[in-house]
Amino acid sequence: MILLCSMTFLFSVNVYAQFNDTIHKKVYKVGQPNIQGLMYVDNSGYHKGFPFEIVLHLAQDENIEIEWEPGTWPQLYKKLVDGDIDILPGTQVTLARKREIDFLKTNLFTMWSELYLSSDAQFENLYDLEGKKIALVDEDNNAAGFVEYINDFKIDYIPVSYPSHEAAVQGLKQGEVYAMVGPTSKVFNKLFKGLRNAKLYFNPTDLNIAFAKNKDKELQRKLNYRLEVYKSNPNSIYYELIRKYSLANYRIDTYVFPLWGKLVLIAGLFLVIVSFSFIYILRKRVELKTRELIKRKEFLKQVLKISEMGGWSLNLNKGEIFWSDELYFLHGLNSANPISVEEMKNLIHPDDREKVLELMDYHIKNRKDFSLEYRVIVASGEIINTRQIGVFEVNEKEKINLLIGITQNITKENLFKQELIEAKNTAEANDKLKTLFINNMSHEIRTPMNGILGFTSMLEKTGLSDEKRKNYIAIIKKSGAKLLRIIDDIMEISILGTKQIELKETKVGLNQLFDELQSIFQIKASSKGLRVNFTKIYSDQDCSLLTDESKLNKILSNIIENSLKYTESGSVDLRFVIENMNVKIYIEDTGIGISKNQQERIFERFYQVQKDSKLNEGLGLGLAIAKENAELLGGDIFLSSEEGKGSIFSLTIPFNRIEDQAEEQIQGNIIESQSIKKNARVLIAEDEPTNTLYLETILNEQSDYCFEIIKVENGKEAVQECLQRDGIELVFMDLKMPELDGFIATQKIKDHNPKISIIAQTAYSSSAERERAKAAGCDEFLSKPIEEETVIKVIRKYL
Ligand code: ADP
């Protein structure tokens, strides 16, 4: 089929091409009659008149070659009938002619015939032609038309025959005839110029282009098509020629649009404009509202996100559940897979499920709004705490059909609540501790104070033997030391309670620290007949670490002290190992041990196993202080103990290794004593006379020094002395003094003379205080009560 179609198409194209070729190869003969006004050749040889010019344009546009064949109208008409010429332009269409020749389907225009009068002719109506001579041109269509037209009026006129229009015009002008018949004067305006017109128009005849009968059909079709194209375009050459020749009886009708049509059109246009404006405004409003809605939606989303909330609804009639996107997000689920009621039930934590479902059931049955809190397991497996608030929606028939609500993740809120409860508990515990502490204090402080005051008054008695006096003094010293220990512990535990302790990390040599501890506790151990073994297996370099030395010292001292206290025979051993970036220090004793059930509790504040026993001299704070300090250093204390056999306390702290070999100069190195007495000017700034006297006594007891002691009672005087008096080498500066405190006084003195050594002394021994003193310029920091030995060390170090 396709092949057949293609062949037919190719054949058609071929035939068409052949036709085209024949048309374009041939030179067509066109008759050239000379009819002045209608069609003629002017003096310059140009073809003028509508029929000639339109033929020329048609031939040119269709690419057709023509040659002109001049002759008279009758001759040329005959030639056309005989097929000697091909085309005759400007031929009037009549039935008789149609039988002999072909015309284009489309006419050029319609012509009318007219009656022209002689100069003296009187004409009012057709009957004036009665008996008059009328000029008729031979073979003229206008003449034929007149005969036919006048025939109906039965007017008896005298026809006078002329061979051409020119001859007829001549006859009329010369008065040979009363009137003559011819074509419209518009066409023949040159020929009929000056002639009188009877204003009688008749015989409308189409003017067309004629072709030899049944010859060149394709040419006719092409030219006809081209002519129709011209006619359909008001700007074409056709209308240009019509305007040029102002052709009679032919006008381009201008269509007058009716008023009602105009009104309808205007109303329609108005409606269209109004509709468009309305649509535009509507669209803008919709856009604005949509934007507002999106903004609100985003805002709502944000709010829901911040409050970790999502919405849900349960259709109770259908048993269908709907979740908002936020809710799917909250549960880590994909909203593309809608959840079912069963799946939702399974999300409830198994421990809460039964209770929750029971409660829900109750609320649904009783149409009661609810607010529940329960745990949910989300997609990641995480357990979250949720709050569910549900409200019933009642339809117009008072039938519950919808339960809508929200789910909120309240995990953080619960944690916060928990923290608050814990904080409240801590506050309450602290309050209890305070009460306990006050109760304890009364007893613990009174005991040593009793000893001090009691035996001090005993000393006042006269006649005491040396032995008794020494004994009393020893008791006073011991009681004083105990009191000091209590005060220290209280200070320490209250500072630890504030949780605002800053660690002061320095390089600490464990071997050195062990040596110091051994030298301190050896005496006490020996007095009880106990052995002390402090084992050091690492080189100094290998066991230096970065930590807070005073805290480490405190921890170990407290534990060793306990071991010595609760061991009656055997030994106390101290050793340490470094493994996995930790230092483990073991303090092992062969003492009374601690029962399993007490082991957990002995680290609590104020907890004592042997309460009220003679053994117990402390406040029950030692291990609590040790444990809390160990935690501060990033470590912990562990205990393994067996009642009656002994205990092993192990302290673990991070081993922050130090590669630096340089050893810091340990404070208090005693300088070799000098044999020659040394002169020195020393200033004691102290507002408490007892303390001044104490320092003065120690200084004066130094046999190898000859001191000039200047005493002042406030910081202001201290500064004045140092500024005005030369040669002051050492200042004992109390930090808390009237007028000007020790910190500012030190600063001023150091600004004036940095060489003066200033030894701070204070009853406040916190590390913050130490730091402040150091920053002010103090060279040394002594906590009150100051031991004689410490004062001597300082003198020897700085003088
Ligand atoms: P205390 O001031 O009573 O010594 P601690 O906090 O230092 O307070 O110790 C708490 C309790 O732990 C002590 O009262 C004691 O009963 C027990 N304890 C501590 N160390 C030892 C030890 N090495 N051997 C036996 N019991 C100990």
Side-chain angles (χ1 to χ4, degrees), residues 308 323 326-333 346-350 375-386 407 409 411:
E308 294 190 79
W323 271 20
E326 290 80 21
L327 210 51
Y328 281 101
F329 179 76
L330 194 77
H331 289 80
L333 296 172
N346 287 335
L347 292 176
I348 304 171
H349 193 283
R375 289 168 296 169
V376 159
I377 303 172
V378 297
S380 63
E382 191 194 343
I383 298 168
I384 61 163
N385 293 80
T386 65
T407 299
N409 182 357
T411 315

Side-chain angles (χ1 to χ4, degrees), residues 178-396:
Y178 173 82
M180 76 158 272
V181 171
T184 177
S185 61
K186 293 261 180 189
V187 177
F188 296 86
N189 54 356
K190 266 192 185 162
L191 185 60
F192 300 138
K193 210 171 183 176
L195 292 185
R196 284 177 62 218
N197 195 320
K199 304 241 183 317
L200 185 69
Y201 302 99
F202 53 91
N203 186 32
T205 315
D206 293 328
L207 195 76
N208 204 323
I209 302 169
F211 293 83
K213 187 83 182 164
N214 294 331
K215 210 177 156 193
D216 305 318
K217 282 285 182 196
E218 180 58 23
L219 177 73
Q220 289 176 32
R221 196 191 59 73
K222 269 183 171 292
L223 296 183
N224 190 67
Y225 172 74
R226 178 62 59 185
L227 184 62
E228 278 177 2
V229 171
Y230 285 172
K231 280 188 157 186
S232 64
N233 176 9
N235 297 318
S236 69
I237 186 66
Y238 175 86
Y239 292 103
E240 211 177 280
L241 291 172
I242 288 283
R243 282 190 291 275
K244 180 177 170 188
Y245 290 104
S246 312
L247 289 173
N249 302 325
Y250 196 96
R251 72 169 197 271
I252 308 163
D253 284 334
T254 45
Y255 179 69
V256 182
F257 204 64
L259 184 65
W260 63 265
K262 282 180 188 168
L263 288 174
V264 168
L265 197 74
I266 290 167
L269 260 169
F270 178 72
L271 263 175
V272 168
I273 291 168
V274 168
S275 309
F276 271 107
S277 307
F278 181 69
I279 290 168
Y280 179 78
I281 292 167
L282 210 69
R283 238 162 91 176
K284 280 282 152 201
R285 290 195 68 175
V286 169
E287 260 174 38
L288 210 78
K289 282 275 165 204
T290 314
R291 237 179 287 150
E292 210 172 283
L293 271 174
I294 291 170
K295 231 167 133 183
R296 276 171 186 273
K297 199 179 155 194
E298 282 305 312
F299 173 72
L300 197 71
K301 256 187 159 181
Q302 202 67 16
V303 168
L304 289 173
K305 198 177 166 192
I306 292 166
S307 52
E308 294 190 79
M309 210 186 268
W312 51 261
S313 73
L314 178 67
N315 187 323
L316 297 167
N317 298 347
K318 294 180 183 171
E320 282 172 1
I321 191 152
F322 166 78
W323 271 20
S324 71
D325 285 350
E326 290 80 21
L327 210 51
Y328 281 101
F329 179 76
L330 194 77
H331 289 80
L333 296 172
N334 188 350
S335 57
N337 309 316
I339 195 159
S340 67
V341 175
E342 275 315 304
E343 284 168 333
M344 198 201 77
K345 284 180 185 171
N346 287 335
L347 292 176
I348 304 171
H349 193 283
D351 296 350
D352 299 351
R353 199 174 294 150
E354 201 184 321
K355 183 106 183 104
V356 168
L357 294 178
E358 206 177 281
L359 269 168
M360 287 267 199
D361 221 35
Y362 165 79
H363 283 282
I364 290 171
K365 270 183 194 149
N366 295 287
R367 295 161 65 179
K368 274 189 173 176
D369 298 346
F370 59 83
S371 173
L372 298 175
E373 284 181 18
Y374 58 83
R375 289 168 296 169
V376 159
I377 303 172
V378 297
S380 63
E382 191 194 343
I383 298 168
I384 61 163
N385 293 80
T386 65
R387 177 182 294 126
Q388 308 280 346
I389 299 175
V391 177
F392 289 92
E393 275 257 313
V394 181
N395 70 7
E396 65 273 10

Side-chain angles (χ1 to χ4, degrees), residues 132-164:
K132 301 285 179 4
K133 283 181 182 171
I134 308 292
L136 299 173
V137 177
D138 299 338
E139 301 285 326
D140 182 23
N141 177 50
N142 302 295
F146 178 77
V147 173
E148 199 180 322
Y149 169 62
I150 211 87
N151 200 31
D152 294 342
F153 296 97
K154 307 277 185 235
I155 293 167
D156 207 5
Y157 64 91
I158 306 157
V160 182
S161 156
Y162 284 90
S164 67

Side-chain angles (χ1 to χ4, degrees), residues 562-563 565-566 589 592-594 602 607-610 616 618-624 647 649:
N562 276 346
S563 293
K565 189 157 66 171
Y566 300 105
D589 65 54
I592 58 171
I594 305 155
I602 57 161
Y607 187 82
Q608 291 172 311
V609 181
Q610 306 84 0
N616 218 320
L619 273 176
L621 287 176
L623 285 182
S647 315
F649 285 86

Side-chain angles (χ1 to χ4, degrees), residues 598-614:
Q598 307 282 359
Q599 282 180 19
E600 285 244 321
R601 300 208 60 194
I602 57 161
F603 292 101
E604 288 175 18
R605 292 177 176 194
F606 299 111
Y607 187 82
Q608 291 172 311
V609 181
Q610 306 84 0
K611 227 175 177 53
D612 304 327
S613 116
K614 210 181 143 208

